[in-house]
Amino acid sequence: MIAAKYKDMLGAKSVIRELSEYATARGKEIGYENVFDYSLGNPSVPAPEKFRQAMVDLLEKCDPMALHGYSPSLGITSVKEKVAESLNKRFNMNYTYKHIFMTAGAAGAISHAVRAITVPGDEVLTFAPFFPEYHPYIDLSGAVLKVVPPNTETFQINFERFEDMLNENVMAVLINTPNNPSGIVYTKETLEKLAEIMTKRSEEYGHDIYLISDEPYREIVFADVEDIYVSKVYDNTISCYSYSKSLSIPGERIGYIAVNPSCSDAETIVNMCGQISRGIGHNCPSSIIQLAVAEVLYETSDLSVYETNMNLLYKELTDLGFTCVKPGGTFYIFPKALEEDAKIFCQKAKNYDLILVPGDSFGCPGYFRMAYCIDTEKVERSLAALRKFVEAEYR
Amino acid sequence: MIAAKYKDMLGAKSVIRELSEYATARGKEIGYENVFDYSLGNPSVPAPEKFRQAMVDLLEKCDPMALHGYSPSLGITSVKEKVAESLNKRFNMNYTYKHIFMTAGAAGAISHAVRAITVPGDEVLTFAPFFPEYHPYIDLSGAVLKVVPPNTETFQINFERFEDMLNENVMAVLINTPNNPSGIVYTKETLEKLAEIMTKRSEEYGHDIYLISDEPYREIVFADVEDIYVSKVYDNTISCYSYSKSLSIPGERIGYIAVNPSCSDAETIVNMCGQISRGIGHNCPSSIIQLAVAEVLYETSDLSVYETNMNLLYKELTDLGFTCVKPGGTFYIFPKALEEDAKIFCQKAKNYDLILVPGDSFGCPGYFRMAYCIDTEKVERSLAALRKFVEAEYR
């Protein structure tokens, strides 16, 4: 029987993807350089040359049978050892390879984590604004994603509503800092308060509440912003990492789960991930990609462009009167729209070839996202369009 | 809550993996060249040089942002076009890119296919002897795998038992030809009879019964064996392919689903696969690997060694009095053990450093599997060990 739950999803097209397709079509009409496409979170800087060189070296120097052979079901041990070592050095942790599981990006990591620590019907809480793909990752595992409304003053956590919504069916809390779409980095105070509440409620309910920390933007943190490694703050943390943004290789589908060694059932969770993979036919990520990232663990693409772009946009947006929390990282900014319905606001912006994404699908109506992973030269040219749009429509 | 269904799987270690680990440990004692390790189905010939060259060319000539960027959610269109074209040329089909979905090997393909065409509780029938990983692929999707007992005379299909077990809850039939573990290739008669029965029962039950055709060994067919493209025989076929064996790149996790254009809901099934991927956090296979295989669609590794090995083993086994159906392809042979309990038989063989896998986990007790994807020189040396074992224990 054709599975209705997947068939029904076909109707609900992603707003982001629709806008991106519109931008491409419009680009064919007027030249893509004239479309200010802020829709997609695709890295705009190339992978480091060292990554390319690592790939070529592997292809030229390794025995092809070893290079392209099956990974062990939990990932290549030497790769996991290097990942653990790099995290220990940078964040003063004590991971071993037994706490690392290689995944197809953060998507694969979250999907494995939620299957390991929930059973169907369990609740997972996340905080608006949030990445809309959390819905398929969580909901199709059988768990239920519930969204805590935003604190729109700061885009830190709305603790009042969080405490209301926490209940004994909540087995995991899913956070994303630096955050897509707000660009906000959770402060030390936010993370410590989150940990304190989760610890207290775990004791009260008599079961662990795990923290799933989605960290694809971990390396994109701007000047003067304190960057906390989430797992340092709360033992029951499963860190979900992706190399998509830091190395600009989103198509290669590579990341990992790192389970805090002090987490309850830490090694069991990693071992269970191997079994979850069997069930979803996933197995390991590509072996050559695993081996290549292990050679460039201390490298990133030149990520400085994102901060340059943010500063340009933030200044122009605030000059134009937008309410806007200054991003601490990522390549997103999330201002308040100039009219109540951000969908209408973004629709009007298209007339100025500004492609903006309404905040509704991020759980935050009335706001809009700009993904400024585009050339700085284009950001600069877009500022006049932005000014023209605001002056024509809202003055 | 730690998910018991995955935790419980940790206890049940794979027999094949245990034997392979034993072989590795024994190799450390006496030298691996002295262990006749017939346990694992790992290709023993390198990937074609053209594959390596295609990878290097992509790394040297492509814009890294295009090369390593996100694939569209249904796979890279140009890759799918080339896959469709190659299948059309070889098998006189009429696929377009809309019928192709790129997957993480045949495992990913089967896991997507079963989720598209079944709902939890639906039955999937397969035929013993069968690849034991079908259990996690099917069972963890929520569907129920039921195994039709073998026809041990020929290892073709036991149609009598198949017709008994078919019922209106069966939504899919899963076949694997050339077959792991028997090495048998289904004849034209077998496939036509299968199609006839499935067509009749589909009409009787008033719903489609899909054929999931697992084809990782499609390119390993021996001389004088007629090689039928399954989808030619039955319209409602979803072909699940992997490049793991044909290109000797199992670690790269690349394959595809090809849905027969005349299949019911063909394009819908492909589109649903994109939604299924979101739910399991899988997305597409590595983009560079997709692009590289598209350059070598008409290449294979030098697969001739498998037929050489098969002939050596088949002759020795039959000379020694084993009952054994001659393989038509793959790199497996599946003789009858010389005592009732194949587990005891394989245990005794270890004393002669022969690593054989009992047929029990393939749904065929009393038989054993030899994976002869090893050097021919080692196969030759193993024959004396095999003779010594049989003469000492069973004469």
Side-chain angles (χ1 to χ4, degrees):
Chain A
M1 194 184 300
I2 291 286
K5 70 172 172 178
Y6 298 114
K7 195 174 179 187
D8 292 349
M9 289 169 73
L10 296 178
K13 249 195 152 178
S14 152
V15 179
I16 301 174
R17 198 163 282 270
E18 267 185 12
L19 282 164
S20 161
E21 284 168 10
Y22 169 82
T24 306
R26 179 71 176 149
K28 280 182 188 155
E29 285 173 40
I30 63 165
Y32 189 72
E33 70 282 7
N34 297 314
V35 182
F36 305 115
D37 182 4
Y38 286 110
S39 66
L40 273 191
N42 253 336
S44 62
V45 287
E49 165 58 18
K50 282 191 183 165
F51 175 76
R52 194 191 68 79
Q53 197 53 54
M55 291 282 289
V56 172
D57 284 352
L58 287 164
L59 288 160
E60 288 183 347
K61 292 175 190 164
C62 286
D63 168 26
M65 288 206 281
L67 179 60
H68 303 301
Y70 281 115
S71 298
S73 52
L74 298 176
I76 298 173
T77 304
S78 65
V79 172
K80 301 201 297 172
E81 280 171 347
K82 287 179 186 172
V83 168
E85 189 193 0
S86 74
L87 291 171
N88 295 345
K89 273 190 193 161
R90 286 183 57 194
F91 303 117
N92 193 27
M93 295 291 290
N94 58 340
Y95 295 112
T96 72
Y97 77 93
K98 290 185 178 173
H99 306 108
I100 309 295
F101 179 77
M102 303 308 293
T103 63
I110 296 168
S111 301
H112 277 75
V114 72
R115 279 168 176 78
I117 60 175
T118 68
V119 298
D122 284 350
E123 290 181 21
V124 177
L125 292 188
T126 197
F127 302 96
F130 72 103
F131 180 46
E133 286 298 293
Y134 288 170
H135 268 302
Y137 300 164
I138 308 299
D139 297 347
L140 292 173
S141 79
V144 181
L145 183 68
K146 300 222 165 157
V147 181
V148 179
N151 168 351
T152 52
E153 293 294 308
T154 61
F155 291 126
Q156 300 286 323
I157 287 175
N158 181 338
F159 280 110
E160 200 178 328
R161 297 302 308 277
F162 175 55
E163 293 198 79
D164 288 349
M165 290 177 69
L166 260 181
N167 70 76
E168 62 182 2
N169 297 321
V170 174
M171 296 297 158
V173 173
L174 169 55
I175 63 171
N176 172 220
T177 173
N179 181 267
N180 174 9
S182 74
I184 285 311
V185 178
Y186 284 173
T187 62
K188 195 173 176 205
E189 292 66 42
T190 294
L191 290 169
E192 284 175 350
K193 187 164 177 189
L194 177 68
E196 185 191 318
I197 295 168
M198 287 175 67
T199 303
K200 190 165 146 263
R201 294 294 182 100
S202 296
E203 281 164 17
E204 190 180 325
Y205 303 143
H207 66 72
D208 297 308
I209 304 175
Y210 291 92
L211 185 60
I212 303 177
S213 179
D214 176 25
E215 307 182 2
Y217 302 98
R218 189 202 290 153
E219 319 303 339
I220 313 178
V221 176
F222 303 147
D224 304 325
V225 177
E226 193 183 11
D227 180 19
I228 314 287
Y229 186 63
V230 172
S231 200
K232 293 294 284 185
V233 184
Y234 186 69
D235 282 349
N236 281 339
T237 296
I238 303 175
S239 305
C240 295
Y241 188 71
S242 166
Y243 294 96
S244 295
K245 318 302 188 194
S246 60
L247 293 176
S248 295
I249 52 170
E252 303 308 346
R253 313 308 307 136
I254 181 82
Y256 59 80
I257 274 178
V259 184
N260 189 314
S262 303
C263 176
S264 302
D265 298 300
E267 289 181 30
T268 303
I269 289 171
V270 172
N271 289 332
M272 285 166 72
C273 284
Q275 302 300 329
I276 293 164
S277 287
R278 291 170 78 193
I280 61 180
H282 163 274
N283 304 89
C284 284
S286 153
S287 48
I288 189 173
I289 303 292
Q290 287 187 65
L291 293 164
V293 295
E295 295 302 310
V296 293
L297 291 177
Y298 300 91
E299 300 292 321
T300 67
S301 298
D302 177 4
L303 305 170
S304 63
V305 60
Y306 302 133
E307 186 160 5
T308 305
N309 291 355
M310 184 278 289
N311 282 321
L312 285 167
L313 279 174
Y314 180 73
K315 181 173 185 310
E316 185 71 19
L317 287 161
T318 47
D319 283 356
L320 286 170
F322 281 91
T323 300
C324 182
V325 184
K326 190 173 185 183
T330 75
F331 38 58
Y332 305 110
I333 192 166
F334 200 62
K336 192 172 182 183
L338 295 179
E339 61 184 292
E340 200 178 337
D341 189 335
K343 293 195 291 292
I344 296 172
F345 176 83
C346 296
Q347 189 60 38
K348 288 181 185 166
K350 282 158 85 176
N351 296 330
Y352 302 84
D353 293 313
L354 286 161
I355 314 299
L356 316 174
V357 181
D360 302 63
S361 56
F362 303 102
C364 201
Y367 290 74
F368 65 96
R369 186 185 83 168
M370 300 177 81
Y372 47 82
C373 36
I374 65 177
D375 289 347
T376 300
E377 172 274 328
K378 201 168 186 181
V379 172
E380 283 166 343
R381 283 192 292 119
S382 79
L383 300 181
L386 197 61
R387 183 167 290 272
K388 193 172 161 200
F389 163 47
V390 170
E391 284 174 355
E393 305 283 344
Y394 299 98
R395 289 282 151 83
Chain B
M1 194 184 299
I2 292 286
K5 70 173 171 178
Y6 298 114
K7 195 174 179 188
D8 293 349
M9 290 168 73
L10 296 179
K13 251 196 150 179
S14 151
V15 178
I16 300 174
R17 197 163 282 269
E18 268 185 11
L19 283 164
S20 161
E21 284 168 9
Y22 169 83
T24 306
R26 178 72 176 147
K28 281 182 187 155
E29 283 173 41
I30 62 165
Y32 189 71
E33 71 281 7
N34 297 314
V35 182
F36 305 113
D37 182 5
Y38 286 110
S39 64
L40 275 191
N42 254 335
S44 63
V45 288
E49 166 58 19
K50 282 190 182 166
F51 175 77
R52 194 190 68 80
Q53 197 54 56
M55 291 282 289
V56 172
D57 283 353
L58 287 164
L59 288 160
E60 289 183 346
K61 292 173 191 164
C62 287
D63 168 24
M65 287 206 281
L67 180 60
H68 302 302
Y70 281 113
S71 299
S73 53
L74 298 176
I76 298 172
T77 305
S78 64
V79 171
K80 301 200 297 173
E81 280 171 345
K82 287 180 185 173
V83 168
E85 189 193 3
S86 75
L87 291 171
N88 295 347
K89 273 192 194 163
R90 287 183 57 193
F91 303 117
N92 193 25
M93 296 290 292
N94 57 340
Y95 295 112
T96 73
Y97 77 93
K98 290 185 179 173
H99 306 108
I100 309 294
F101 179 78
M102 302 308 293
T103 63
I110 296 168
S111 301
H112 277 73
V114 72
R115 279 169 176 78
I117 60 175
T118 68
V119 298
D122 284 350
E123 290 181 21
V124 177
L125 292 188
T126 197
F127 302 95
F130 71 103
F131 180 44
E133 287 298 295
Y134 289 170
H135 268 301
Y137 300 164
I138 309 299
D139 296 346
L140 292 173
S141 79
V144 181
L145 182 69
K146 300 222 166 158
V147 181
V148 179
N151 168 351
T152 53
E153 293 294 308
T154 61
F155 292 125
Q156 300 285 324
I157 287 175
N158 181 338
F159 281 110
E160 200 178 327
R161 296 302 307 277
F162 175 55
E163 294 199 80
D164 289 347
M165 290 177 70
L166 261 181
N167 69 77
E168 63 183 2
N169 298 321
V170 174
M171 296 297 159
V173 173
L174 170 55
I175 64 171
N176 172 220
T177 173
N179 182 267
N180 174 9
S182 74
I184 285 312
V185 177
Y186 284 173
T187 62
K188 196 173 176 206
E189 292 66 41
T190 294
L191 290 170
E192 285 176 347
K193 188 165 177 188
L194 177 68
E196 185 191 318
I197 295 168
M198 287 175 66
T199 303
K200 191 165 144 263
R201 293 293 182 101
S202 297
E203 282 162 17
E204 189 180 324
Y205 303 142
H207 66 71
D208 297 308
I209 305 175
Y210 290 93
L211 184 59
I212 303 177
S213 179
D214 176 26
E215 306 181 2
Y217 302 99
R218 188 203 289 153
E219 318 304 340
I220 314 179
V221 176
F222 303 147
D224 304 324
V225 176
E226 193 184 10
D227 180 19
I228 315 288
Y229 186 62
V230 172
S231 200
K232 293 295 282 183
V233 184
Y234 186 70
D235 281 350
N236 281 339
T237 295
I238 303 176
S239 305
C240 296
Y241 187 72
S242 167
Y243 293 96
S244 295
K245 319 302 189 196
S246 60
L247 293 176
S248 294
I249 52 170
E252 304 308 345
R253 314 309 307 136
I254 182 82
Y256 60 80
I257 274 177
V259 185
N260 189 314
S262 304
C263 177
S264 302
D265 297 301
E267 289 181 30
T268 303
I269 288 171
V270 172
N271 290 332
M272 285 167 71
C273 284
Q275 303 299 331
I276 293 164
S277 286
R278 291 170 78 192
I280 61 179
H282 164 274
N283 305 87
C284 284
S286 153
S287 47
I288 188 173
I289 303 290
Q290 287 186 66
L291 292 164
V293 296
E295 295 302 311
V296 294
L297 290 176
Y298 300 90
E299 300 293 321
T300 68
S301 299
D302 177 4
L303 305 170
S304 63
V305 59
Y306 302 133
E307 185 161 7
T308 305
N309 291 354
M310 183 278 288
N311 282 322
L312 284 167
L313 279 173
Y314 181 73
K315 180 173 184 308
E316 186 71 18
L317 285 162
T318 47
D319 283 356
L320 286 170
F322 282 90
T323 301
C324 183
V325 184
K326 191 174 184 182
T330 76
F331 38 59
Y332 304 109
I333 193 166
F334 200 62
K336 191 171 181 184
L338 294 179
E339 59 184 292
E340 201 178 335
D341 188 336
K343 293 195 292 293
I344 297 174
F345 175 83
C346 295
Q347 189 60 38
K348 287 181 186 167
K350 282 158 86 176
N351 297 330
Y352 301 83
D353 293 313
L354 286 161
I355 315 299
L356 316 174
V357 180
D360 302 64
S361 56
F362 303 102
C364 201
Y367 289 74
F368 65 97
R369 186 187 81 168
M370 301 176 81
Y372 46 83
C373 36
I374 65 177
D375 288 347
T376 300
E377 173 274 330
K378 202 168 185 179
V379 173
E380 283 167 343
R381 282 193 292 119
S382 79
L383 301 181
L386 197 61
R387 184 168 289 272
K388 193 173 160 197
F389 162 48
V390 170
E391 284 176 354
E393 304 282 343
Y394 300 98
R395 288 285 151 82

